[in-house]
Amino acid sequence: MGEERNETADELRQHWTAMTQLGRAVPDSGLAGIGEALETSGPWPEDLRRTPMIIDTDIGGDADDALAVAAAARQVPELAMVITGDEVRGERARFARHLLDLIGRREVVTLSGASLGESRYYCVDGLIPDDVPAQPTDVVAAVRQVCEAADGPVRWVGMGPLTNLARVIAEAPDLARRLRLTQMGGALRYRDPSRAEHNIRMDVAGAHAVLKAVESGLLPTPEFIASEITFTPRIEVTAKHPLYQSLRDPQGPVWAQLLADHLERWFARTRYAGTMQHDALTLSAALDLPFVDSDHLNISMDSIGRTTKAEEGEGVRLRWSLSAEYEAFMNWLSISLTGPARLDVAHGQEGR
């Protein structure tokens, strides 16, 4: 038997292009039907693997944000910026700066983004050294700088409310076309039907503004990783979870102990015994890893932010998560946080 060979994404893209072109060239053949079916399914996805990444996060509340940011810092060389949302006097941004510095990613820019009032979802007070300075606040200018330094698109990974993105779209609409959004949020089957999913509920107006930008063609079709996929004990980290135990190792790096301290704060100060990895799963989708299965759906959002599947020709066309491979994802997350960092990420020695 011949040697088994897995084709690369580039080779598959070339096959897709060849089949669609051949179908158009011979319209009266069976190949025309194949080519038309391929084109109807939509264009071949862009290869975003080497494009800059911006993370928009309400880090410092539920600890899943911090785990996701740490995984990105250790595994994504293209991580360029972390912007905080639902800001608490700039403290979320200071915490992000401290975490990134300990991991050795001092070149990653941090921005203190929009505040939505005094959030109750904050629990890292006392974990930030006094010498960590306040972070810059001009989000739009900073995003423009990232876009101008790149030749092509820029990945935007949303892990919190959509306030910052809505502001960028409103104040710099020319940048919207450059952004490729993967957003944690929304739900078709939210556990409380009387209200919207958390990230959407935090800023309903911002969410509507983003969907309006998609509908108008200003913002390219985003992918939403919805709550019905992320809210599961299969991706929950508790005090008994092996990942927490690894981070708690007193011989481990300082940044890992900071994450463990954050987890302990979350467990102690809230009614939750664990943290589900909503945001790291969203990060994995933005990295085009094979854990989340999504498809195009028409989505409607009501006045309080509840999202439902719409009929054809109604709502806004989005990529929407349908299922996930949880065990494989959790293995990847554990390795990302406890295994070696990618060599091209380690710009500085990780703190110990």
Side-chain angles (χ1 to χ4, degrees), residues 52-60 65-66 68-74 76 78-85 87 90-101 103 105-114 135-139 142-143 146 154-160 164 283:
M53 176 180 288
I54 296 172
I55 289 179
D56 182 10
T57 172
D58 53 351
I59 192 171
D65 291 77
V69 169
R74 302 190 78 238
V76 183
E78 303 81 15
L79 179 63
M81 182 178 297
V82 173
I83 307 171
T84 56
E87 196 35 280
E91 292 300 282
R92 294 190 194 275
R94 292 181 64 242
F95 180 77
R97 180 71 272 152
H98 181 45
L99 176 61
L100 289 166
D101 286 348
I103 294 174
R105 295 300 303 272
R106 293 172 178 81
E107 85 289 358
V108 176
V109 177
T110 52
L111 273 295
S112 178
Q135 299 302 295
T137 60
D138 195 342
V139 169
V143 172
V146 171
V154 172
R155 290 174 285 183
W156 184 292
V157 186
M159 300 179 181
N164 291 317
L283 172 66

Side-chain angles (χ1 to χ4, degrees), residues 18 32 103 152 207 264 344 352:
I103 294 174
E264 289 179 2
D344 48 355
R352 295 196 63 84

Side-chain angles (χ1 to χ4, degrees), residues 294-347:
S294 298
D295 199 0
H296 287 91
L297 296 179
N298 286 26
I299 300 295
S300 292
M301 182 181 295
D302 68 13
S303 62
I304 63 170
R306 292 176 296 189
T307 43
T308 55
K309 185 177 179 181
E311 298 296 329
E312 193 67 32
E314 299 179 359
V316 182
R317 191 76 165 167
L318 307 173
R319 282 186 57 78
W320 197 267
S321 60
L322 302 178
S323 63
E325 296 291 337
Y326 298 117
E327 183 176 357
F329 158 70
M330 287 301 290
N331 287 338
W332 168 80
L333 179 60
S334 294
I335 291 170
S336 296
L337 290 172
T338 63
R342 286 179 55 178
L343 293 179
D344 48 355
V345 165
H347 298 283

Side-chain angles (χ1 to χ4, degrees), residues 113-133:
S115 174
L116 297 174
E118 292 299 310
S119 176
R120 64 188 178 91
Y121 300 102
Y122 177 74
C123 64
V124 293
D125 50 296
L127 296 182
I128 312 165
D130 292 340
D131 61 357
V132 177

Side-chain angles (χ1 to χ4, degrees), residues 102-327:
L102 289 178
I103 294 174
R105 295 300 303 272
R106 293 172 178 81
E107 85 289 358
V108 176
V109 177
T110 52
L111 273 295
S112 178
S115 174
L116 297 174
E118 292 299 310
S119 176
R120 64 188 178 91
Y121 300 102
Y122 177 74
C123 64
V124 293
D125 50 296
L127 296 182
I128 312 165
D130 292 340
D131 61 357
V132 177
Q135 299 302 295
T137 60
D138 195 342
V139 169
V140 176
V143 172
R144 182 174 295 281
Q145 192 170 24
V146 171
C147 289
E148 289 178 346
D151 294 330
V154 172
R155 290 174 285 183
W156 184 292
V157 186
M159 300 179 181
L162 286 147
T163 316
N164 291 317
L165 180 57
R167 178 186 170 192
V168 171
I169 292 169
E171 297 184 17
D174 58 303
L175 300 181
R177 295 182 175 86
R178 300 283 302 280
L179 302 178
R180 302 297 184 265
L181 171 64
T182 306
Q183 174 68 37
M184 191 282 123
L188 300 183
R189 300 178 298 277
Y190 194 56
R191 56 191 181 276
D192 182 354
S194 69
R195 60 181 185 169
E197 179 275 330
H198 173 79
N199 281 347
I200 303 297
R201 185 171 73 244
M202 293 293 288
D203 184 2
V204 175
H208 274 289
V210 170
L211 291 195
K212 184 177 179 180
V214 176
E215 187 175 24
S216 69
L218 186 61
L219 182 69
T221 303
E223 181 175 15
F224 276 68
I225 310 304
S227 177
E228 60 262 22
I229 301 303
T230 66
F231 192 86
T232 170
R234 296 175 69 179
I235 57 173
E236 186 173 29
V237 174
T238 67
K240 296 181 179 180
H241 196 280
L243 177 54
Y244 167 79
Q245 298 295 334
S246 295
L247 296 171
R248 185 73 285 173
D249 181 359
Q251 302 303 313
V254 175
W255 62 262
Q257 296 174 42
L258 177 65
L259 291 179
D261 289 342
H262 182 7
L263 284 162
E264 289 179 2
R265 292 285 190 89
W266 178 251
F267 301 153
R269 295 190 181 186
T270 70
R271 67 179 187 275
Y272 304 108
T275 172
M276 298 177 189
Q277 300 310 296
H278 312 275
D279 295 325
L281 188 60
T282 302
L283 172 66
S284 79
L287 293 173
D288 201 26
L289 296 174
F291 307 131
V292 178
D293 181 29
S294 298
D295 199 0
H296 287 91
L297 296 179
N298 286 26
I299 300 295
S300 292
M301 182 181 295
D302 68 13
S303 62
I304 63 170
R306 292 176 296 189
T307 43
T308 55
K309 185 177 179 181
E311 298 296 329
E312 193 67 32
E314 299 179 359
V316 182
R317 191 76 165 167
L318 307 173
R319 282 186 57 78
W320 197 267
S321 60
L322 302 178
S323 63
E325 296 291 337
Y326 298 117
E327 183 176 357

